[in-house]
Structures are given as C-alpha cells and as structure tokens.
C-alpha cells in the first residue's frame, strides 16, 4: 500500500512538471504572433497582389523579417516586385507590432501555393500560415478569329477649335502689342529729349566787364583816332551798359539828360558834373560833327574810369545760377515723352506676361 502511494506521488509530481513546462512553452509562444494575408487572392496575368506580414512580439526582443530582392521568386512562378519598409506600432502590455508588405505578380496561369514566411525573434524561428494565389489569363475568343484585328497605326488627335481658340486670339493680341510698342519706340526716338539742366557759370561783375571794354578802347588807340564818333559811341555804350547792370535802369534806351537826372538821385554832384561833360561832348561829336581835342578825349576817358571805380561794388557773388527757360511747347514735349516711356514700359511687361501664358497653354496642348 505504501509503495502504491509513493508511485502515485511521483506520477503527480511529474505531471505538474510537465504541465508547467507546457504552460511555459504556450506562454512563450503566445508572446510572438505571426500573421499573413494576401489581397487580392485572385489576379489576372501581370496584375499585382499585396502580401502583408505582421509580427507581434515583446518590446526589447530582436526581430529579423524575410528579405527579397527585386524580381526574386517567392515560389516558382511568383516574383516579388517590391518590398515596403517595416512599419512599427505600439501595442498594449509592452508589445510591438511590425508589418511589411510584399508586392507580388505572376505571368503564368495557375493556382500557386505560397510557402510560410520565416521570422526570427531573439534567434528563434517562427513561420506565417500558408497562403494561395490564383492567377488567371485574359479570356480570348478562339472560336471567332475573324474578330481579331491587327494593331492600328499611330493616329493624330483631332483638331478642336475650342482648344486652340484662346491661344490664337492671345497670339493676335501679342502681335498687336508688339507692333504698338515698336511704333511708340519710334515716336519716343523721334521726340528729342529736352535737356533742362541748371548751369552754374562764372559771373563777370559789371565794373570788370566795363573796365575790360575800356582796355580794348585803349588798345585800339581810339583816343587819338580820327574817327571820334566811333570812339565816343563805344565809350558811352560801355558806360550805359555798366549803369544798366549796376543801377538797374535801362540806360541804353535813355537820353543823356535822362541818365544824368537818374544818377543825381544816387551819386554825388561833382561826379555827375564830370559825367555830364562827357555825355555832352559825346552828343556834340556824334550829332553836331564837333571835333574834340586829344586832351579832351583823355579827360573824358579818365572821368569814365573814375566813375566806374567810384560806383563799383566789390563784394558780389562770382558765380551765377542759370535756370533753364522752357517754353510751353518744350513742357508739352517733356510730358509727352514721359507718357510714352510709361506706356512702353507697361506694354513690355504685358507682352512678357502674355508670352509666358501663351507658351504655357501651348505646352498643355502639345
């Protein structure tokens, strides 16, 4: 009786050990799951099917998925066209799901058996389930061969005015704008620009200009000349121009008496008396054929020089700003030229944009 009980205990212990081992193996196996599917399961010759492989395993384990080269056969008659990158997703309980898609094709009509795909997790190999792929050929009516036609030649697309209408009218508009731009450029070239520049020139003071003219009279020896009328004409004209610039009245259009009366308002009487004698002698020589003496001519010349030196203004600007004087015609010409430039610029921009759009439409049509 004791021996039987001992035997039963040993059997019970062995049974517990065996059950634990089985449960451990089942638990380990449950941690790794390999699934596979194919879509579609039926294709025509040359079409493609997607074989999807999914592996679920515990995080931290290493995984090796099956690798295929392009055009490598997964089974005789079925080749792999492409293999996607592995896609990883996080699951619950620290599990990871990795999936990969294989693109398959075949060119022979047959029902193919796809062998299980081997997967290694931590060096241990697992396999997916068996799959099948049915490849069908294109149905051909062999009973009516007269319905078969030889390949047709390459045909041109029919011309449709509705497709080319916009391009045609836009091209005409572009041609018109080109002619108009060319015409405006010719007008712009013919319309000479008005140069309206402010000039800064060196200014000769009135007394300097008058003294330069008197020096010319001396150099020409007009004092001792027989032509006394020319001498007094040049001398009085020099004084008149000087007075006009210095005092601001129109001495060239005034008589000798008017000049003397105007000068008496601003100059001393003695200087005016000497100048009156000069103008009186000049009037007699020019209009009464009076013959003056040489010393009288010299005295009048000295009086003229003295008058200029006495009334001259030294501290005057030595430069003069010359503002351009534009007529109404010049102003209209400048405005017209500005309008032409703006019009040409706008037309060129419009032509460039229109040309680009026409080429784009032609590209789409061709």
């Amino acid at each position: 009786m004791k021996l039987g009980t001992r035997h039963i205990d040993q059997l019970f212990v062995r049974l517990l050990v065996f059950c634990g081992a089985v449960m451990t193996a089942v638990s380990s196996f449950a941690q790794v799951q390999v699934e596979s599917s194919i879509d579609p399961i039926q294709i025509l010759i040359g079409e493609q099917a997607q074989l999807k492989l999914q592996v679920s395993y515990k995080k931290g384990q290493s995984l090796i998925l099956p690798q295929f080269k392009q055009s490598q056969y997964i089974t005789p008659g079925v080749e792999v066209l492409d293999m996607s990158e592995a896609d990883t997703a996080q699951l619950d309980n620290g599990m990871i799901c990795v999936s990969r898609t294989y693109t398959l094709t075949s060119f022979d009509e047959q029902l193919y058996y796809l062998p299980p795909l081997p997967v290694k997790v931590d060096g241990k190999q697992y396999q997916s389930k068996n799959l099948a792929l049915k490849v069908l050929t294109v149905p051909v009516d062999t009973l009516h061969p007269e319905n078969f036609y030889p390949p047709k030649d390459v045909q041109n697309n029919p011309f449709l005015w509705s497709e080319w209408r916009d391009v045609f009218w836009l091209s005409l508009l572009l041609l018109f704008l080109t002619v108009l731009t060319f015409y405006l450029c010719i007008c712009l070239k013919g319309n000479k620009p008005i140069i309206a520049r402010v000039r800064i020139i060196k200014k000769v003071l009135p007394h300097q200009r008058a003294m330069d003219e008197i020096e010319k009279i001396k150099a020409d020896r007009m004092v001792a000349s027989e032509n006394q009328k020319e001498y007094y004409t040049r001398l009085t004209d020099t004084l008149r121009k000087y007075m006009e610039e210095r005092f601001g009245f129109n001495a060239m259009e005034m008589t000798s008496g008017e000049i003397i009366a105007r000068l008496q308002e601003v100059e001393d009487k003695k200087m005016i008396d000497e100048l009156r004698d000069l103008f009186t002698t000049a009037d007699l020589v020019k209009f009464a054929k009076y013959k003056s003496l040489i010393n009288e001519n010299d005295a009048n010349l000295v009086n003229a020089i003295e008058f200029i030196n006495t009334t001259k203004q030294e501290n005057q600007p030595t430069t003069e700003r010359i503002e351009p004087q534009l007529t109404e015609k010049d102003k209209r010409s400048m405005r017209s030229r500005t309008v032409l430039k703006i019009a040409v610029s706008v037309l060129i921009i419009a032509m460039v944009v229109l040309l680009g759009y026409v080429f784009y439409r032609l590209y789409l049509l061709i």
Side-chain angles (χ1 to χ4, degrees):
M1 186 69 181
K2 290 182 178 180
L3 292 174
T5 303
R6 185 180 301 171
H7 183 66
I8 291 173
D9 292 339
Q10 291 177 352
L11 290 176
F12 181 72
V13 171
R14 290 178 181 177
L15 181 60
L16 289 177
V17 172
F18 176 75
C19 290
V22 171
M23 291 179 65
T24 302
V26 171
S27 176
S28 175
F29 180 77
Q31 290 181 354
V32 178
Q33 294 182 0
V34 181
E35 298 178 0
S36 61
S37 61
I38 187 168
D39 182 41
I41 62 174
Q42 180 177 294
I43 62 173
L44 294 176
I45 290 177
E47 290 185 339
Q48 299 177 0
Q50 306 293 328
L51 190 156
K52 188 173 183 180
L53 177 65
Q54 288 183 324
V55 182
S56 300
Y57 61 98
K58 193 173 183 180
K59 186 176 181 181
Q61 294 179 317
S62 62
L63 172 67
I64 300 178
L65 295 175
Q67 301 283 338
F68 293 95
K69 297 180 180 179
Q70 189 175 7
S71 300
Q72 181 181 351
Y73 287 94
I74 191 172
T75 190
V78 180
E79 60 179 291
V80 179
L81 294 180
D82 189 22
M83 180 179 64
S84 69
E85 296 291 334
D87 187 15
T88 303
Q90 299 290 336
L91 302 178
D92 297 334
N93 301 325
M95 299 293 289
I96 298 177
C97 179
V98 178
S99 61
R100 172 172 285 175
T101 301
Y102 302 88
T103 303
L104 310 179
T105 190
S106 178
F107 297 94
D108 293 322
E109 182 183 13
Q110 190 176 338
L111 177 61
Y112 291 96
Y113 163 75
L114 302 180
L117 297 178
V119 176
K120 286 187 177 182
V121 179
D122 277 350
K124 187 175 181 179
Q125 184 167 318
Y126 300 87
Q127 290 184 342
S128 65
K129 65 181 180 179
N130 299 329
L131 298 173
L133 176 64
K134 188 174 184 179
V135 181
L136 302 176
T137 187
V138 178
V140 178
D141 187 4
T142 58
L143 299 178
H144 302 86
E146 67 277 2
N147 292 334
F148 291 92
Y149 300 97
K152 296 182 179 180
D153 294 334
V154 178
Q155 298 181 357
N156 293 326
N157 292 328
F159 176 81
L160 296 177
W161 170 246
S162 59
E163 295 179 349
W164 292 86
R165 179 176 54 222
D166 294 342
V167 174
F168 174 76
W169 291 116
L170 289 176
S171 299
L172 287 183
L173 177 60
L174 181 61
L175 179 62
F176 171 75
L177 293 179
T178 303
V179 174
L180 180 60
T181 304
F182 181 73
Y183 172 74
L184 292 180
C185 288
I186 293 177
C187 294
L188 186 62
K189 185 177 181 180
N191 188 2
K192 300 298 182 182
I194 304 298
I195 301 176
R197 297 177 181 175
V198 177
R199 295 182 300 162
I200 305 298
I201 62 173
K202 185 177 180 181
K203 182 179 180 180
V204 179
L205 298 179
H207 69 275
Q208 293 176 342
R209 186 179 294 108
M211 293 303 296
D212 291 341
E213 186 63 28
I214 289 177
E215 291 297 327
K216 291 181 182 179
I217 294 174
K218 289 181 178 180
D220 294 339
R221 299 182 181 276
M222 298 297 298
V223 177
S225 174
E226 295 293 332
N227 193 353
Q228 294 184 355
K229 183 177 181 180
E230 181 182 0
Y231 164 68
Y232 278 102
T233 299
R234 289 179 62 180
L235 182 61
T236 53
D237 286 347
T238 300
L239 288 174
R240 288 173 185 268
K241 291 178 183 179
Y242 168 73
M243 296 175 192
E244 187 171 322
E245 294 180 7
R246 168 63 178 83
F247 299 105
F249 59 86
N250 190 8
M252 296 295 295
E253 302 297 331
M254 299 171 66
T255 64
S256 300
E258 293 173 341
I259 294 174
I260 297 301
R262 188 66 178 269
L263 289 176
Q264 285 179 342
E265 301 175 2
V266 294
E267 296 298 329
D268 59 48
K269 187 175 182 302
K270 180 181 180 182
M271 181 60 64
I272 298 304
D273 291 338
E274 294 176 352
L275 200 60
R276 182 186 292 110
D277 294 340
L278 188 154
F279 277 104
T280 301
T281 303
D283 290 341
L284 291 175
V285 171
K286 288 190 291 183
F287 303 112
K289 297 182 180 180
Y290 173 74
K291 296 293 183 179
S292 61
L293 300 177
I294 294 179
N295 59 347
E296 190 176 4
N297 295 339
D298 290 335
N300 288 328
L301 183 64
V302 171
N303 291 335
I305 295 174
E306 184 66 22
F307 175 77
I308 293 173
N309 289 330
T310 303
T311 59
K312 67 180 179 180
Q313 291 179 323
E314 294 285 355
N315 298 325
Q316 296 294 316
T318 57
T319 57
E320 184 177 4
R321 178 185 176 92
I322 305 298
E323 296 283 349
Q325 299 295 326
L326 299 180
T327 63
E328 287 298 324
K329 183 179 179 180
D330 293 336
K331 294 178 181 179
R332 288 195 300 269
S333 178
M334 292 181 67
R335 287 194 295 266
S336 300
R337 188 173 180 83
T338 302
V339 172
L340 285 176
K341 287 182 178 180
I342 295 175
V344 169
S345 301
V346 172
L347 286 174
I348 291 176
I349 295 174
M351 288 168 54
V352 172
V353 174
L354 191 58
L355 182 63
Y357 181 72
V358 169
F359 275 116
Y360 174 71
R361 291 296 299 272
L362 288 175
Y363 172 76
L364 294 180
L365 291 173
I366 296 175

